[in-house]
Amino acid sequence: QVQLVESGGGLVQPGGSLRLSCAASGTIFSINPMGWYRQAPEKQRELVATITNGGIRNYADSVKGRFTISRDGAKNTVYLQMNSLKPEDTAVYYCNANIKTVSNFPARNFWGQGTQVTVSS
């Protein structure tokens, strides 16, 4: 079974940086795209950034210019470099990937367990 495992979350002061990683493992035929979502207390889960195998990136307006998404196809890993962090970035960050496990079966979304990012003075 496919698993997505996030790492890199933690506590950081405003203006600081964190780098999140998410590695997909298991039976994987193909992955496209991969991305990051986040959910803050009392808020809906929202898209942060996505990236395709071709390197096409999309970002939420709230993180443009501060966050950078990248991926390593050989390692089935996606990264999120977060700079100039703000208190409003505090949330649980979830890795997401659209994965086809068998060539003749439809692709589906898989989610990681989440990693906590807290931005506070």
Side-chain angles (χ1 to χ4, degrees):
Q1 186 176 12
V2 172
Q3 287 189 320
L4 302 179
V5 180
E6 303 103 331
S7 62
L11 175 64
V12 65
Q13 295 187 72
S17 298
L18 287 172
R19 184 172 185 260
L20 306 183
S21 299
C22 172
S25 62
T27 302
I28 300 172
F29 181 79
S30 62
I31 304 176
N32 193 36
M34 301 184 78
W36 291 92
Y37 290 70
R38 67 186 181 187
Q39 187 165 15
E42 301 181 344
K43 296 184 67 176
Q44 299 293 317
R45 186 172 298 185
E46 64 177 354
L47 183 147
V48 177
T50 60
I51 184 169
T52 69
N53 287 337
I56 304 299
R57 296 168 169 84
N58 289 288
Y59 297 95
D61 288 342
S62 59
V63 307
K64 286 181 179 178
R66 300 188 298 118
F67 291 10
T68 302
I69 189 170
S70 60
R71 68 189 295 171
D72 183 336
K75 297 181 179 180
N76 291 328
T77 299
V78 63
Y79 307 92
L80 186 68
Q81 178 66 46
M82 305 185 294
N83 298 326
S84 302
L85 283 162
K86 305 175 181 179
E88 50 263 45
D89 295 318
T90 296
V92 177
Y93 284 70
Y94 296 92
C95 179
N96 172 264
N98 189 246
I99 298 176
K100 183 183 286 290
T101 59
V102 181
S103 63
N104 292 333
F105 286 8
R108 58 172 290 190
N109 282 326
F110 289 85
W111 294 90
Q113 291 297 111
T115 184
Q116 178 70 48
V117 172
T118 302
V119 185
S120 177
S121 300

